[in-house]
Amino acid sequence: MHRTRVRIVEDALDANDTIARANRDDFDRAGVRVVNLMSAPGAGKTRLLERALVGLQELGVRAGVLEGDVQGSFDADRLSALHLPVAQLNTGNGFGGECHLDANMVRSALPALALDELDLLIVENVGNLVCPAEFRIGEDARIMVCSVTEGEDKPLKYPLMFRACELVIVNKIDLLTHLEFDVRRLLDNVAAVNPDARTMLVSAATGEGVDAVRDWLAAIAAREPAVA
Amino acid sequence: MHRTRVRIVEDALDANDTIARANRDDFDRAGVRVVNLMSAPGAGKTRLLERALVGLQELGVRAGVLEGDVQGSFDADRLSALHLPVAQLNTGNGFGGECHLDANMVRSALPALALDELDLLIVENVGNLVCPAEFRIGEDARIMVCSVTEGEDKPLKYPLMFRACELVIVNKIDLLTHLEFDVRRLLDNVAAVNPDARTMLVSAATGEGVDAVRDWLAAIAAREPAVA
């Protein structure tokens, strides 16, 4: 039974990769670069976007957001204040309430977005440190946000997520003075599981460090499509 | 294909419930009550246990812990300082790195614990607000811990988790003075999805409110087995 289960999982991931490639072809044709934004619940992804997306337009980047949630549209409603194209994708509607986005779910949501009018699409994944890292959606780059309130051990406990990302954003640094939290130890743990990851220290609450995130997103938007 | 997928999920949950009942029979025979402890990553489950389990012995409760993690034994190592029986269960070892515990995984770990010598077994689930709520493990009660750093909207975004629990512990209240966080709004959101849930405000860092958690655990340990 266990072998059957492994086979089913492998088949599902193969099928996902096929659809992810189709998504990627569509993104490349439309000239839009895609970022998969992941974190645990409550790490501050939406608040970070509220900060980082303001000013992208002045950098010549037309950005849009695909919001992934099990249910509800709380984050999409928040982001609609930015007057950017925002689409909502609920895993609770026809996708079994899944704990992550996969390539097929993202594909189903693409008609809601005018890809040709975007340079950058940010896909805010379901808050979860395990499964989102296993499912490619056709993205060009992956970001994970971890908060200093979550503890320094997270890279060691959820290494797949930290390994899957190019950029690790350490958020809520405004709270550091009120916590027993060793940033150096967290960064060492990130480096232990992913030595190539870029790291940024940020407070989405105060705005500290958000410029670097915005510049990084603009650089992704300016990238040539990677050869598949 | 979608219908097939739903069927597979339903079959898996049925199979899980069968094993959960077998676990529950074993727990009842041994006279041990079981609590399934869930939260997002970094909400403070382990720190709360470090506080709440001290003093349970004086209340006449012999407690043990089963630690669930994708990989590593960081939390089990921390809890071993309490000189309680602690067993580690890794979903990365033979369970595909699953994002939750299920009844079969818990069953596989039971031989590592002398159930007859326990009154209360706490199962610390994998940090995740989605899937752990779907898989019964044979428990008597379920707790979820949410932290005030995660935002007031979590009950509305992850309602299944909040509905599944008897007790919702709001942790890290020592940080409230440094956050824009409306406790009343969180509690209203909890009540909206689960009016029967008991709620407790706690700081595992300072110990505030932990006595109530300890008393609650002692009351669970003293319960008669529910008729299945």
Side-chain angles (χ1 to χ4, degrees):
Chain A
M1 180 180 154
H2 180 55
R3 194 164 302 183
T4 308
R5 178 183 191 168
V6 169
R7 175 107 53 84
I8 289 172
V9 171
E10 285 173 353
D11 286 353
L13 289 176
D14 281 350
N16 184 73
D17 281 348
T18 302
I19 302 171
R21 273 192 296 274
N23 290 349
R24 182 61 174 268
D25 288 344
D26 287 355
F27 297 144
D28 287 349
R29 251 191 305 274
V32 58
R33 302 274 68 81
V34 177
V35 170
N36 189 352
L37 179 64
M38 300 179 284
S39 81
K45 292 188 295 303
T46 309
R47 193 146 190 200
L48 181 67
L49 288 182
E50 287 175 322
R51 287 272 189 181
L53 296 183
V54 173
L56 262 184
Q57 185 95 38
E58 285 96 275
L59 296 175
V61 178
R62 301 167 301 168
V65 179
L66 179 58
E67 271 297 331
D69 287 294
V70 176
Q71 71 176 62
S73 61
F74 304 97
D75 297 340
D77 295 346
R78 285 169 61 185
L79 291 174
S80 64
L82 298 178
H83 305 294
L84 298 168
V86 178
Q88 178 71 49
L89 170 53
N90 284 131
T91 69
N93 291 344
F95 297 112
E98 289 276 12
C99 60
H100 58 273
L101 298 183
D102 66 22
N104 185 44
M105 296 177 207
V106 169
R107 193 157 191 78
S108 75
L110 295 185
L113 290 157
L115 293 181
D116 286 332
E117 296 167 18
L118 296 179
D119 304 306
L120 179 70
L121 175 64
I122 299 186
V123 181
E124 186 176 338
N125 217 307
V126 179
N128 181 347
L129 286 190
V130 185
C131 300
E134 296 183 53
F135 291 86
R136 293 269 161 191
I137 57 173
E139 69 273 55
D140 295 86
R142 305 171 128 204
I143 302 177
M144 85 147 294
V145 181
C146 64
S147 140
V148 297
T149 61
E150 292 170 30
E152 304 95 343
D153 58 356
K154 290 299 163 290
L156 306 179
K157 290 177 77 173
Y158 302 92
L160 184 66
M161 174 59 76
F162 283 80
R163 259 198 295 269
C165 291
E166 283 180 55
L167 173 62
V168 174
I169 295 176
V170 182
N171 191 21
K172 306 194 188 179
I173 58 168
D174 56 297
L175 294 175
L176 277 174
T177 51
H178 312 297
L179 299 168
E180 290 172 46
F181 185 89
D182 184 342
V183 173
R184 189 69 259 159
R185 194 147 73 93
L186 173 73
L187 296 177
D188 287 347
N189 287 340
V190 171
V193 300
N194 185 356
D196 298 326
R198 173 129 181 234
T199 54
M200 294 182 187
L201 303 184
V202 164
S203 167
T206 67
E208 187 180 350
V210 171
D211 283 355
V213 176
R214 190 181 296 116
D215 289 345
W216 193 91
L217 291 172
I220 294 289
R223 264 194 204 169
E224 291 301 310
V227 179
Chain B
M1 180 184 153
H2 180 55
R3 193 164 301 183
T4 308
R5 178 184 190 168
V6 170
R7 174 107 51 82
I8 289 173
V9 170
E10 285 174 352
D11 287 352
L13 289 175
D14 281 349
N16 184 74
D17 281 349
T18 302
I19 303 171
R21 274 192 296 273
N23 289 350
R24 182 60 174 268
D25 289 344
D26 287 354
F27 297 144
D28 286 349
R29 253 191 302 275
V32 58
R33 302 274 68 80
V34 178
V35 171
N36 188 353
L37 179 63
M38 301 178 284
S39 81
K45 292 187 297 301
T46 309
R47 194 146 190 201
L48 180 67
L49 288 181
E50 287 176 324
R51 288 273 189 181
L53 296 182
V54 173
L56 262 183
Q57 185 95 38
E58 285 95 275
L59 297 175
V61 178
R62 301 166 301 168
V65 180
L66 178 58
E67 271 297 331
D69 287 294
V70 176
Q71 70 176 64
S73 62
F74 304 97
D75 297 341
D77 296 345
R78 285 168 62 183
L79 292 174
S80 65
L82 298 177
H83 305 292
L84 298 168
V86 178
Q88 178 70 49
L89 171 52
N90 284 130
T91 69
N93 291 343
F95 297 111
E98 289 276 13
C99 60
H100 57 272
L101 299 183
D102 66 23
N104 185 46
M105 296 178 208
V106 169
R107 192 155 190 79
S108 75
L110 295 185
L113 290 158
L115 292 181
D116 285 333
E117 296 168 19
L118 296 180
D119 304 305
L120 180 68
L121 175 63
I122 300 186
V123 181
E124 186 177 338
N125 217 307
V126 179
N128 181 346
L129 286 189
V130 186
C131 300
E134 296 183 53
F135 292 87
R136 293 269 161 192
I137 57 173
E139 70 273 56
D140 295 85
R142 304 171 129 204
I143 303 177
M144 84 148 294
V145 181
C146 64
S147 140
V148 296
T149 61
E150 293 170 31
E152 304 97 341
D153 57 357
K154 291 297 163 293
L156 305 180
K157 291 178 77 173
Y158 302 92
L160 184 66
M161 173 60 75
F162 283 81
R163 259 198 296 269
C165 291
E166 283 181 53
L167 173 61
V168 173
I169 296 176
V170 182
N171 192 22
K172 307 193 188 180
I173 58 168
D174 57 296
L175 294 176
L176 278 174
T177 51
H178 312 296
L179 299 169
E180 290 173 47
F181 185 90
D182 184 342
V183 173
R184 189 69 258 160
R185 193 147 72 93
L186 173 73
L187 296 177
D188 286 348
N189 287 340
V190 172
V193 299
N194 184 356
D196 298 327
R198 173 128 182 236
T199 54
M200 293 182 186
L201 303 184
V202 164
S203 167
T206 68
E208 186 179 351
V210 172
D211 283 356
V213 176
R214 190 181 296 117
D215 291 345
W216 193 90
L217 291 173
I220 294 288
R223 265 194 204 170
E224 291 299 309
V227 179

